[in-house]
Amino acid sequence: MSDPKKDPELDQAARPLLPVLIGPLGAIWASVVIVEHFTWSRYLASNESLPINQLLICAVVVLLFIPMKKYRAYILASVLFFVFSAGVAYQYWHRIDQVMGLLAEADPYGFTCRVVSDPQYGSYSPSSIVEARLSSGVKFRCRIFWPDSTGIPAYGSQLDVHGHFIPLSENNEFLYRQGLAGSFSVTSIDDCHFPNNLVGLISEFRDTNYRLLTEQGEQSAYLLSGVLLGNSGEFNLSWAGEAFKITGLSHLVAVSGSHLVVIATMMAWVLAKLKIKTRVEVFLLLLLVAAYVMLTALQASAVRSAGMMGIVQVARLIGRRSHAPSALSVTASIMLIIQPTTAFSLGFWLSVFSVFGLAVYLPLVREWTELLHSRSSSKYKVTYHPKLVKHARRLISNYIVEPCNISLTAQASTLALSAPAFACISLVSLPANIIVAPLITLILLMGIPGLIIGSFLSSVQHLLVSPLILLGRLSCYLAQQFAGLPFASIPFNGRLDMSLVIALSVAAAVYLLWPHPTAANRRVFWRMLCAVCLVASVIYVKPQAAELVLLDIGQGDAILIREGSISVLIDTGPESTSLRRALARNHVKSLDAVILTHLDNDHCGGLRALTGFIQPDTVYFAAGLISNRSDSNAIQQAYELVGQSRIEELIGGDTLVLSSHLSLSVLLPTHLVYFGDNHDSLVISLNFDSEADGTVDLRMLLTGDAEADDLQKINSLYAGLSFQVLKLAHHGSKGSINNELLRQWECRIVLISVGLNNHYGHPSDQALQTLDDTGALVYRTDELGDISLRLLSQCLVISYSGMRLVWAY
């Protein structure tokens, strides 16, 4: 084989020029982030000031002492962009600060508002973003929590709400970054309607189509809603939505430029194969994007994505000097200046990274795949039906390789953003995108004109929707099959900033070594990779002492128990992504068992997260649930996860021996259960035998949601037991514990798993006062994050948030 350096085939892919505005774009982003940080700090402490003078002095120093004169003009331009965008951002957040001051004085109990987002479904009540106006004329944006008992108003609707206002707290910077002045908990709604204007008519049109698509209530219909209308809230709650995350397909559903650019690139490739002229191709693409924006009811994310795609496509018509990366840089810079909150939008940066990656690196990926194809063709000479084989290779190159190139480039370009967001790296992303992305493209190409035509011809609406439902079902089925493969994804516990540094460094290296690294570079790369793997094995592959970790997963329970290679998870919390992040943080690679204490969503809702991620050997439920509640989501998910033969039941008196030091004793319930509610919770004692001599040295009581009335049974059934550590029931509700039980059990350490700023008021003041009266040490996940209790001979090592305490027992 010839040296790649001398292979003339590699010279076909010319290295594209980087946009001149890439530096100013970075400066604009940095200025917005810095300004937001200092204005938020000032809001909290009232003693921070924006260091504009200091920043200007630093910029001037850098400008004066730069050694290469030819870069001074470029740096000056970046500094000017930095200062200008900092001023714009400061004015933006300063106005929000003023509005928050007015709201604190007014303490509004009601206002008129317009819904400007689809509902988000979290651990608490569903929520939306609204643009509100007080009777005094003050306008602001805030988050609305809807009451569960009423219907959730659709995007674009206008209404009057009543309830109570919740100012931003120190943990609400994520809301401040979105330009929100607070939250509002709704108690009643009046006069909900679509306004009689263009936006109102388009919003009503979208809502009608949403009801048409989702009237059957199946997950494929919610997929169509996400793809065609940009409303993916319900889809994200389904198993298919979880499968799309595991397989790296979420970008095909989200309203972002990442979505549009992949679809548009695939469509452009199809149109090129049909030999359609560039002008017609661009016109059709712009028409598709415009129709999509209308179907999404002019959502800000859709408008931003359409604007980005529009400028890139129009740049293709300008002539030989058009440069897509430059058009992208201009568009992104304008968007950041017009709307500073865009700097914190994941969808926006997915758009930028995917468009930039496809514009710059797709030619190189094409070149590499063509090189591999040509070399494999020359290495393996075919003598049997050579014409047929040559024709087959040409078909593969034309109709399979190019979709692979597009999917691979888009995935690699956005991996640094998607991996921290979903706490996993998909190992089946490439084949999943190759197979499912064309189906999503077909749904868009058929669905957008189909919904528009159906709005004028209601008699054919269901006829036009039926093939879309079939395509949606097929897409969901394929995603679920990929997600169910062993090791479909691997845990990722990386910070976003470090991921970006690594990704940008790799991208810069690939660009500088274009079109390929030399043989010497490759040898250095492989040696460095081996060294990194060796260091990682030394750091992460080490003996694990007996440990209990109360995982911070929000308003729910998830407890990890492990020693050596043994790992058991008790409950999964309410939501998949939070559980994946928690398991990745704690370097969990396998699970011997999952024990679900009862069927409340905040204890078993995250079970889906383990599919294709970490395969447990066995899933345990309380005795009686499998037959009495076989239709529950948790049991159905367990069947799909491990199969029927590896689902077992536990009842009071059962013991699971984990190692010579650890065992789990089931205390309650002592009877078959029928409902799986709080009263039916499994109550388990974790027993630690430090000497492995058969004598229990320390017990921890893990209560699920069984409150004091149920826990009283333990004293009569198991006389003389004491528990040095207690996991407080039901997140510290009013009835979770009483003084009598704490004294009888001699509890010294109490753990509370609870969500930050939860709407239930957990832990209750009554429970905290009871704990304070007995002098117990209290550790809470909402304040400390993950809480680790390492069990050693004669002592516990309690670790959290960088702190380490030793407690002798």
Side-chain angles (χ1 to χ4, degrees):
M1 185 181 293
S2 60
D3 187 349
K5 186 176 180 179
K6 299 179 181 180
D7 197 327
E9 292 181 83
L10 286 175
D11 295 330
Q12 295 177 6
R15 178 165 60 185
L17 296 174
L18 292 178
V20 175
L21 279 178
I22 193 169
L25 174 60
I28 293 171
W29 171 81
S31 69
V32 172
V33 171
I34 291 172
V35 167
E36 185 277 332
H37 172 73
F38 280 99
T39 53
W40 176 250
S41 298
R42 186 178 61 182
Y43 166 73
L44 292 179
S46 300
N47 58 5
E48 296 275 358
S49 60
L50 191 67
I52 291 291
N53 295 333
Q54 293 89 329
L55 292 174
L56 283 174
I57 293 173
C58 292
V60 172
V61 170
V62 171
L63 181 64
L64 293 176
F65 289 92
I66 190 73
M68 302 181 68
K69 293 183 179 180
K70 63 179 181 180
Y71 290 126
R72 285 189 176 180
Y74 183 73
I75 292 178
L76 177 60
S78 299
V79 170
L80 292 176
F81 274 105
F82 181 94
V83 174
F84 176 73
S85 57
V88 172
Y90 180 76
Q91 290 297 322
Y92 179 86
W93 270 291
H94 180 62
R95 184 180 61 82
I96 293 176
D97 291 344
Q98 291 178 324
V99 169
M100 288 193 295
L102 294 173
L103 291 173
E105 295 176 1
D107 191 17
Y109 292 96
F111 46 74
T112 299
C113 63
R114 184 173 69 89
V115 182
V116 294
S117 80
D118 290 310
Q120 297 295 316
Y121 301 91
S123 302
Y124 315 128
S125 304
S127 63
S128 303
I129 306 300
V130 301
E131 292 180 348
R133 185 182 71 255
L134 299 180
S135 57
S136 61
V138 176
K139 296 180 180 180
F140 60 97
R141 290 166 62 94
C142 74
R143 176 177 59 171
I144 288 277
F145 288 105
W146 305 111
D148 295 332
S149 58
T150 62
I152 301 174
Y155 172 88
S157 56
Q158 187 170 304
L159 62 156
D160 296 328
V161 296
H162 305 279
H164 64 275
F165 184 75
I166 308 170
L168 294 184
S169 66
E170 60 181 357
N171 302 303
N172 292 149
E173 187 177 4
F174 71 99
L175 296 177
Y176 188 73
R177 287 174 173 175
Q178 299 176 55
L180 307 183
S183 300
F184 192 84
S185 183
V186 174
T187 56
S188 64
I189 297 173
D190 295 324
D191 191 24
C192 182
H193 66 281
F194 290 103
N196 189 24
N197 53 33
L198 178 61
V199 175
L201 293 175
I202 294 176
S203 299
E204 187 174 9
F205 170 70
R206 177 180 184 255
D207 185 58
T208 301
N209 281 297
Y210 169 76
R211 298 179 186 279
L212 171 67
L213 291 175
T214 60
E215 61 184 0
Q216 298 181 16
E218 58 179 285
Q219 56 187 7
S220 60
Y222 292 124
L223 170 64
L224 297 179
S225 170
V227 172
L228 295 172
L229 307 177
N231 185 354
S232 56
E234 292 93 343
F235 179 70
N236 292 332
L237 296 177
S238 67
W239 163 222
E242 190 63 35
F244 267 61
K245 295 177 184 177
I246 294 171
T247 54
L249 295 170
S250 293
H251 66 285
L252 297 176
V253 185
V255 179
S256 69
S258 176
H259 177 188
L260 288 179
V261 73
V262 173
I263 300 301
T265 305
M266 296 283 285
M267 184 177 173
W269 170 71
V270 172
L271 295 176
K273 290 298 178 183
L274 297 176
K275 302 187 183 302
I276 294 178
K277 293 183 179 180
T278 301
R279 291 185 178 181
V280 178
E281 175 190 330
V282 171
F283 173 77
L284 291 175
L285 287 173
L286 293 178
L287 187 63
L288 175 71
V289 171
Y292 177 75
V293 172
M294 185 184 71
L295 283 176
T296 60
L298 306 177
Q299 290 190 52
S301 55
V303 173
R304 285 199 305 263
S305 303
M308 189 176 299
M309 282 299 305
I311 291 179
V312 171
Q313 292 300 324
V314 170
R316 297 175 57 194
L317 299 177
I318 296 176
R320 295 176 58 186
R321 294 176 181 264
S322 64
H323 190 230
S326 295
L328 170 66
S329 299
V330 172
T331 308
S333 299
I334 293 173
M335 290 179 179
L336 285 171
I337 293 173
I338 293 176
Q339 188 67 31
T341 57
T342 304
F344 304 100
S345 169
L346 177 62
F348 170 77
W349 289 112
L350 284 172
S351 307
V352 172
F353 277 53
S354 59
V355 174
F356 188 86
L358 288 167
V360 174
Y361 291 102
L362 182 57
L364 181 61
V365 175
R366 284 173 178 157
E367 188 62 36
W368 285 352
T369 54
E370 289 174 7
L371 175 65
L372 291 174
H373 179 70
S374 62
R375 287 185 174 177
S376 63
S377 300
S378 61
K379 184 176 181 179
Y380 300 101
K381 300 295 184 182
V382 179
T383 57
Y384 187 73
H385 293 304
K387 292 185 178 179
L388 181 61
V389 172
K390 183 178 180 181
H391 180 65
R393 284 178 171 171
R394 185 165 57 251
L395 289 177
I396 292 173
S397 178
N398 290 339
Y399 297 101
I400 297 180
V401 173
E402 183 62 9
C404 288
N405 293 337
I406 294 171
S407 297
L408 179 62
T409 307
Q411 289 296 305
S413 301
T414 57
L415 183 62
L417 298 173
S418 60
F422 301 123
C424 67
I425 298 176
S426 176
L427 301 184
V428 296
S429 177
L430 181 58
N433 273 272
I434 292 170
I435 294 175
V436 178
L439 297 176
I440 303 299
T441 304
L442 193 57
I443 288 174
L444 272 173
L445 295 178
M446 295 174 58
I448 291 176
L451 292 179
I452 294 175
I453 293 172
S455 64
F456 296 101
L457 302 173
S458 58
S459 59
V460 298
Q461 278 184 334
H462 288 86
L463 182 63
L464 294 172
V465 168
S466 295
L468 299 178
I469 293 289
L470 293 177
L471 288 172
R473 288 174 181 168
L474 180 58
S475 301
C476 292
Y477 172 79
L478 292 171
Q480 291 167 5
Q481 294 305 305
F482 277 111
L485 294 174
F487 305 107
S489 63
I490 58 175
F492 180 81
N493 181 38
R495 291 172 46 183
L496 177 60
D497 52 358
M498 292 304 300
S499 299
L500 288 174
V501 168
I502 294 173
L504 294 176
S505 299
V506 171
V510 171
Y511 184 82
L512 294 173
L513 297 173
W514 193 290
H516 62 87
T518 63
N521 295 140
R522 289 197 297 271
R523 285 194 295 269
V524 172
F525 170 78
W526 288 114
R527 289 171 183 171
M528 291 178 63
L529 181 61
C530 291
V532 169
C533 293
L534 179 61
V535 172
S537 65
V538 171
I539 294 175
Y540 295 114
V541 182
K542 57 184 180 181
Q544 181 70 50
E547 181 183 29
L548 178 145
V549 184
L550 191 65
L551 301 176
D552 179 19
I553 42 76
Q555 182 70 7
D557 268 20
I559 301 171
L560 176 67
I561 299 169
R562 58 185 174 183
E563 181 185 18
S565 60
I566 302 296
S567 296
V568 173
L569 182 66
I570 300 179
D571 289 332
T572 65
E575 192 265 329
S576 298
T577 301
S578 297
L579 180 63
R580 275 198 297 266
R581 288 198 180 107
L583 295 176
R585 280 196 305 270
N586 290 277
H587 313 297
V588 179
K589 305 297 189 299
S590 63
L591 288 171
D592 295 274
V594 174
I595 301 174
L596 299 177
T597 57
H598 60 299
L599 299 183
D600 282 0
N601 186 69
D602 58 339
H603 288 253
C604 62
L607 187 62
R608 290 284 194 199
L610 303 179
T611 303
F613 186 72
I614 296 174
Q615 183 71 33
D617 293 336
T618 310
V619 177
Y620 292 96
F621 292 92
L625 282 183
I626 294 177
S627 57
N628 294 323
R629 292 295 307 276
S630 59
D631 59 339
S632 73
N633 289 333
I635 293 176
Q636 291 299 320
Q637 291 170 16
Y639 282 143
E640 297 170 2
L641 183 63
V642 298
Q644 187 172 358
S645 62
R646 291 194 287 167
I647 296 179
E648 299 184 15
E649 293 186 327
L650 296 172
I651 196 169
D654 289 345
T655 297
L656 299 178
V657 178
L658 307 184
S659 69
S660 59
H661 300 285
L662 290 180
S663 65
L664 296 172
S665 298
V666 180
L667 305 181
L668 297 175
T670 55
H671 58 275
L672 297 181
V673 300
Y674 294 90
F675 302 107
D677 57 13
N678 292 348
H679 298 292
D680 294 333
S681 284
L682 285 169
V683 178
I684 298 172
S685 172
L686 172 63
N687 310 311
F688 177 58
D689 179 1
S690 62
E691 304 296 332
D693 57 3
T695 301
V696 176
D697 299 299
L698 180 141
R699 288 187 178 90
M700 300 183 180
L701 185 62
L702 312 177
T703 58
D705 273 353
E707 297 189 336
D709 292 341
D710 300 304
L711 298 176
Q712 293 282 5
K713 302 173 187 177
I714 294 177
N715 291 330
S716 58
L717 293 171
Y718 312 95
L721 286 184
S722 62
F723 305 98
Q724 289 85 350
V725 179
L726 169 69
K727 197 288 296 180
L728 197 62
H730 204 189
H731 324 294
S733 63
K734 289 181 180 180
S736 60
I737 199 63
N738 58 44
N739 285 316
E740 180 185 356
L741 288 176
L742 286 173
R743 291 193 175 94
Q744 287 178 345
W745 292 339
E746 301 176 351
C747 297
R748 305 304 304 156
I749 294 176
V750 176
L751 308 175
I752 305 178
S753 181
V754 63
L756 183 68
N757 297 329
N758 66 86
H759 285 192
Y760 306 103
H762 294 159
S764 68
D765 293 338
Q766 179 178 329
L768 292 176
Q769 184 61 50
T770 300
L771 297 173
D772 185 59
D773 292 342
T774 59
L777 302 175
V778 178
Y779 299 92
R780 300 164 46 173
T781 56
D782 60 334
E783 297 177 343
L784 307 175
D786 293 343
I787 302 168
S788 166
L789 277 67
R790 184 160 295 187
L791 293 86
L792 304 176
S793 178
Q794 306 299 320
C795 71
L796 285 176
V797 178
I798 306 171
S799 304
Y800 57 87
S801 306
M803 299 291 292
R804 177 174 290 187
L805 306 173
V806 178
W807 182 79
Y809 59 84

